[in-house]
Every structure is written in structure tokens, then in C-alpha cells.
Amino acid sequence: TQKDGYNNSEPRSMNPGGGRVYRLKCSADNTFESLVGFLVALAVLSSAGDKLSEAENAMINKWAVLSMIARTIYPFAYVWDLDMLRSVLFEICFFSYVAIITTAL
């Protein structure tokens, strides 16, 4: 490991010093944190089993694709400091997870 470089044994201690690299790291951390919501939605969905109709499955697929598109765009909005877009994308993901859960119940 170089001085002040990436330390694989202690990755959280990395100090990128601000700028776009820092924002990209924050975006990655936020993505891992939001993964919890998606995993909860998947757990509820898997507990529904084969009880869902074809229309409900289609709706869940649409919500899942929408959340993945929003999550793909999110890091760019975070790095370029587009705070309003970032907030909208976060809300799209959150409400997509809620919609998947309520549809599966």
C-alpha cells in the first residue's frame, strides 16, 4: 500500500480528500445501504411464492426495472452534485421497493 493510498485491509480508512472521487465513494456506500430495502422487497416477494397473478408479476417486474434504472443513474447525479435529481432517484427507488412489497402482500 502506498502512503495515503488504498488500504485493502482497512478500506473504510481511505481518505480520497474530496472532489469527485470522494463523491463516487459516497455514492457507492449509499448504494450498499439502499440494497437493504431491495433485499427486504425480494424477501417479501419470495415469501409470496406462486400466489401472485400474472398481472401482479408484470407490475413487480416494472417496479424492479424502474428501481434498477434509477439506481444506475444515481451515481452520476451524486458525482456531478445534482442534488434534486439525486433525491428524485432515491425516492423512485424507495417507492419502487414499497410498491413491490405491497404488491407481493
Side-chain angles (χ1 to χ4, degrees):
T1 303
Q2 297 176 354
K3 184 179 186 236
D4 296 327
Y6 184 75
N7 183 353
N8 196 38
S9 61
E10 294 182 42
R12 294 269 184 191
S13 68
M14 183 177 92
N15 183 10
R20 288 199 170 150
V21 173
Y22 175 73
R23 295 192 67 76
L24 189 59
K25 182 184 180 313
C26 291
S27 172
D29 290 344
N30 185 270
T31 298
F32 284 118
E33 293 162 2
S34 73
L35 185 62
V36 173
F38 190 67
L39 292 176
V40 168
L42 288 180
V44 171
L45 180 60
S46 67
S47 71
D50 295 334
K51 301 174 190 171
L52 299 174
S53 69
E54 202 170 303
E56 288 171 325
N57 278 326
M59 184 61 67
I60 288 171
N61 289 341
K62 290 176 184 177
W63 283 113
V65 167
L66 179 64
S67 69
M68 291 298 105
I69 290 170
R71 221 358 111 174
T72 302
I73 298 169
Y74 184 86
F76 297 102
Y78 205 112
V79 169
W80 291 323
D81 199 19
L82 303 171
D83 56 339
M84 293 301 289
L85 177 61
R86 188 179 78 209
S87 295
V88 168
L89 293 169
F90 178 84
E91 291 171 13
I92 287 171
C93 289
F94 176 77
F95 288 117
S96 295
Y97 303 157
V98 171
I100 290 170
I101 292 169
T102 55
T103 303
L105 294 176

